[in-house]
Amino acid sequence: MNSVDFGMATIHIKRDANNVITRKGWNGKGMYVKLCRNTNIEIDGEMKALNDHFVIKNVNGSFSTWVPSVNDTLETDWECKTLNDFKGAALTRGV
């Protein structure tokens, strides 16, 4: 798979809800970033809309909101994938 810069990676995840991005430089296996759109959260018994945001799948399988660092945005080791590429992948910490 060819690597791309963050701009191209961002275009990829905007195209389809199944698209994700990852970096070759990350030391955790199975990590990826996904764009979340049209999501809601319950606050005080009411559903509230969330603004579009990135989430990252962490090494332990949990998810967190994510904001790219300056280094992330300047790197050219981004890979464009789909969620299907991660189905059944074992959660292991990279070397």
Side-chain angles (χ1 to χ4, degrees), residues 11-22:
I11 290 169
H12 172 73
I13 58 175
K14 286 181 177 180
R15 285 187 179 143
D16 189 293
N18 194 45
N19 290 349
V20 297
I21 55 175
T22 188

Side-chain angles (χ1 to χ4, degrees), residues 41-65:
I41 187 171
E42 185 176 340
I43 299 174
D44 296 331
E46 293 183 38
M47 295 305 290
K48 303 289 184 178
L50 294 176
N51 292 327
D52 294 349
H53 58 282
F54 293 121
V55 294
I56 189 168
K57 182 180 179 206
N58 300 304
V59 174
N60 66 2
S62 66
F63 290 85
S64 301
T65 56

Side-chain angles (χ1 to χ4, degrees), residues 11 14-15 17-18 26-27 31-32 36 38 40 50-51 58 64 67 70-71 79-80 82 85 88-89 91 93:
I11 290 169
K14 286 181 177 180
R15 285 187 179 143
N18 194 45
W26 281 341
N27 62 359
M31 294 174 62
Y32 60 79
C36 291
N38 302 317
N40 297 294
L50 294 176
N51 292 327
N58 300 304
S64 301
V67 177
V70 171
N71 289 341
E79 295 180 329
C80 300
T82 69
D85 295 322
L91 297 174
R93 193 172 293 276

